[in-house]
Amino acid sequence: MLRKDYLLSMMEEMTSAVASVLGLRRENKHVEALKQLDDLLNKQFRLRSDLLRRLPPEQIIELFRLGPGIEVDKLQQVARILEEEAAIYLETDRTDEGIRILIKSLHLYLYSDVNGATRDIQVLPERIACIVNLVQEYELPADTSKLLVVYYEREDRLDEAADVWFGLSWEQPELLPDAEAFYTQLLDKTDAELQRGGLSRREVTEGLVEITQLHGRK
C-alpha cells in the first residue's frame, strides 16, 4: 500500500510538472522550463540535469541501485525529465544535444520496462514509441539497441526485433554472431508464432542467409 501511494504521488507530481513545462514552452520560456525540470530532478532525486547530461546511461542506472536491484520506477521518472529536457533543446535548435539526451532517455525507459517497471506511471510503450520515432534516422548505441530488441521480443514484435539486429550486423561487425544466433532462434518458432510476430519463415530464412554471407565477408 505504501509503495502504491508513493507511486501515485510521484505520478501526480510528474504530470503536473510536465503540464507546467509544456505551458512555458508554448510561451517560448525555454530557460524557465529547463530550470523547472532541474528543480524537479533535485527535489525528487537530489540530482542535477548537468550531471545526468555528462553521465552515460549505465552510470545513471547505478545511481538508482538499492541492494541487489534497481529502483526502476524512479528511473523511468528520470527518463521522462530527460525526455522533456531534450524536447526543449530540439525546439531551440540544439539538435545534437537534444538527440543525444533523447537516446539516453530511451535507454533508461527500455531498461526500466524490461526490468519490471510499473508501466502506467509514464505509459511506457507510448513514451518508447515516441522517442523511437524521433530518433529513427540516428544510429543508436549497441547497448540501447539490444535493450530495444528485448523490448520488441516481449511485445511479440519479432519483425522489429529482427530489423534492429539486421541493422546492428551491418553497423558493428563484431555483433554479427549475435545477430546470426537471433535469426537462427527464430527458425525454431512455429509458423504461427512467426506470423504473430509479423514475420514469415521465408523472411527469416532470407535474413539469416544475408547475415551469414555478410559474416563470411567480414
Side-chain angles (χ1 to χ4, degrees), residues 66-107:
L66 183 63
I70 300 293
E71 296 180 290
V72 289
D73 286 327
K74 289 184 177 180
L75 190 63
Q76 67 167 308
Q77 294 291 84
V78 170
R80 184 57 188 273
I81 293 172
L82 287 175
E83 181 188 359
E84 292 300 319
E85 183 177 309
I88 295 171
Y89 284 122
L90 293 175
E91 288 175 357
T92 53
D93 296 324
R94 297 170 64 179
T95 304
D96 290 346
E97 183 74 357
I99 292 298
R100 188 178 67 82
I101 296 172
L102 265 184
I103 291 174
K104 187 178 295 187
S105 174
L106 174 61
H107 189 105

Side-chain angles (χ1 to χ4, degrees), residues 41-197:
L41 193 60
N42 186 40
K43 178 184 177 183
Q44 286 198 344
F45 310 112
R46 298 187 183 280
L47 293 171
R48 308 298 304 195
S49 294
D50 58 348
L51 172 65
L52 296 188
R53 285 195 297 272
R54 293 195 304 269
L55 292 178
E58 295 80 9
Q59 290 185 25
I60 295 175
I61 290 168
E62 285 302 312
L63 294 176
F64 291 87
R65 179 168 297 283
L66 183 63
I70 300 293
E71 296 180 290
V72 289
D73 286 327
K74 289 184 177 180
L75 190 63
Q76 67 167 308
Q77 294 291 84
V78 170
R80 184 57 188 273
I81 293 172
L82 287 175
E83 181 188 359
E84 292 300 319
E85 183 177 309
I88 295 171
Y89 284 122
L90 293 175
E91 288 175 357
T92 53
D93 296 324
R94 297 170 64 179
T95 304
D96 290 346
E97 183 74 357
I99 292 298
R100 188 178 67 82
I101 296 172
L102 265 184
I103 291 174
K104 187 178 295 187
S105 174
L106 174 61
H107 189 105
L108 300 182
Y109 275 139
L110 289 168
Y111 183 93
S112 298
D113 191 63
V114 302
N115 285 280
T118 305
R119 277 190 152 192
D120 56 2
I121 290 180
Q122 293 298 334
V123 194
L124 277 171
E126 290 184 14
R127 303 267 43 89
I128 291 170
C130 180
I131 298 181
V132 167
N133 182 61
L134 288 172
V135 303
Q136 59 184 329
E137 296 180 3
Y138 298 85
E139 182 179 338
L140 297 178
D143 287 346
T144 305
S145 293
K146 289 177 182 179
L147 282 173
L148 188 58
V149 166
V150 175
Y151 171 77
Y152 282 149
E153 286 189 90
R154 283 164 51 102
E155 294 291 290
D156 212 10
R157 293 155 64 178
L158 299 179
D159 53 343
E160 293 174 270
D163 285 345
V164 174
W165 268 123
F166 196 87
L168 279 172
S169 69
W170 278 92
E171 295 159 2
Q172 302 190 47
E174 67 274 15
L175 295 178
L176 275 166
D178 295 324
E180 193 171 9
F182 173 79
Y183 273 81
T184 300
Q185 290 172 1
L186 286 179
L187 290 176
D188 292 333
K189 295 184 179 295
T190 66
D191 288 345
E193 288 173 329
L194 290 175
Q195 289 172 4
R196 190 163 56 247

